[in-house]
Amino acid sequence: NAGVTQTPKFQVLKTGQSMTLQCAQDMNHNSMYWYRQDPGMGLRLIYYSASEGTTDKGEVPNGYNVSRLNKREFSLRLESAAPSQTSVYFCASSTGTSYLQAFFGQGTRLTVV
Amino acid sequence: AQRVTQPEKLLSVFKGAPVELKCNYSYSGSPELFWYVQYSRQRLQLLLRHISRESIKGFTADLNKGETSFHLKKPFAQEEDSAMYYCALSPMDTGRRALTFGSGTRLQVQP
């Protein structure tokens, strides 16, 4: 049972570099999310996709773009990485309907130097 | 907009002591409240939800709409309860069911 799979697990970028974080779920969930986790700040929503083909900005979208490629996959792109984007990134999915339960990936630890 | 506040960053108790992790929220509509837990080296996972009114691993939480609180309680803490706990809210009255999390409370249960 894979659940939610994120790649890569660790990444070091130089300021200005770009990269894409990949996320895939095999639970046939409609909704998918990207969060960042910073010490003392909990999880903050970057982007949210309620269903295939739709995306909405969350609390901290600046500097990020997303693509809901299909129902399974939701990628997060950093076009020009900045040190302020050093964080742990979590992807999650949920049914998004009357019974809401989010399932999380294992996280990607990103360091921008 | 919704907000979830967890006032304590760290809560340290001894094994067998009662535990209460505080959570307050603000949302003008109808919220659904959750507690998520992250054990060391494990994924964030759902602990319980207010709608189910359940007890999981001895933990309970009651939604108090008057005080806009959803505190997590356990009468006797165990060492295996040590983890990071997050309170979360999702609107029930809109189509946008994204979860908003608090900043988390680290629970340390000492032997």
Side-chain angles (χ1 to χ4, degrees):
Chain A
N1 292 336
V4 179
T5 303
Q6 290 181 234
T7 54
K9 292 184 180 179
F10 302 94
Q11 184 71 48
V12 179
L13 289 179
K14 293 182 179 179
T15 298
Q17 286 185 319
S18 63
M19 79 162 296
T20 300
L21 306 183
Q22 305 287 351
C23 176
Q25 53 94 6
D26 62 2
M27 294 172 283
N28 201 35
H29 286 164
N30 288 321
S31 299
M32 297 187 74
Y33 316 80
W34 276 105
Y35 289 91
R36 57 178 291 172
Q37 182 185 44
D38 301 292
M41 304 190 76
L43 283 85
R44 292 181 293 169
L45 183 66
I46 305 172
Y47 269 94
Y48 162 59
S49 173
S51 62
E52 183 180 352
T54 67
T55 59
D56 286 313
K57 294 180 179 179
E59 183 183 352
V60 288
N62 291 344
Y64 306 95
N65 285 303
V66 290
S67 294
R68 184 72 185 269
L69 305 170
N70 47 54
K71 192 170 186 178
R72 289 188 65 250
E73 299 172 290
F74 189 38
S75 62
L76 178 71
R77 183 161 178 84
L78 288 70
E79 291 290 352
S80 178
S84 60
Q85 294 178 304
T86 294
S87 187
V88 180
Y89 291 84
F90 288 97
C91 177
S93 71
S94 74
T95 54
T97 53
S98 58
Y99 187 85
L100 176 65
Q101 179 174 349
F103 293 83
F104 284 80
Q106 79 277 22
T108 297
R109 187 174 294 275
L110 175 67
T111 302
V112 182
V113 298
Chain B
Q2 55 264 32
R3 179 182 290 273
V4 177
T5 302
Q6 293 179 252
E8 303 142 328
K9 290 186 177 181
L10 173 66
L11 183 63
S12 184
V13 301
F14 287 102
K15 178 182 174 180
V19 171
E20 182 178 46
L21 301 174
K22 293 184 172 14
C23 172
N24 290 91
Y25 68 91
S26 65
Y27 180 61
S28 57
S30 180
E32 185 172 9
L33 274 295
F34 306 82
W35 277 98
Y36 277 78
V37 60
Q38 189 173 27
Y39 300 103
S40 179
R41 302 183 187 280
Q42 293 188 27
R43 303 184 183 205
L44 194 65
Q45 59 187 285
L46 177 66
L47 180 62
L48 54 79
R49 61 199 314 132
H50 91 265
I51 284 180
S52 301
R53 301 185 64 81
E54 58 205 340
S55 174
I56 303 294
K57 300 184 178 182
F59 284 99
T60 60
D62 290 318
L63 180 61
N64 186 323
K65 292 186 177 181
E67 295 183 359
T68 59
S69 68
F70 188 56
H71 303 327
L72 184 67
K73 300 178 183 180
K74 184 170 184 176
F76 308 104
Q78 304 298 315
E79 290 182 66
E80 55 265 30
D81 296 329
S82 296
M84 195 75 182
Y85 291 81
Y86 291 96
C87 184
L89 177 155
S90 178
M92 293 182 68
D93 49 356
T94 74
R96 197 171 189 274
R97 293 277 274 151
L99 283 163
T100 297
F101 286 85
S103 55
T105 299
R106 180 168 298 282
L107 175 63
Q108 288 182 347
V109 182
Q110 300 181 56

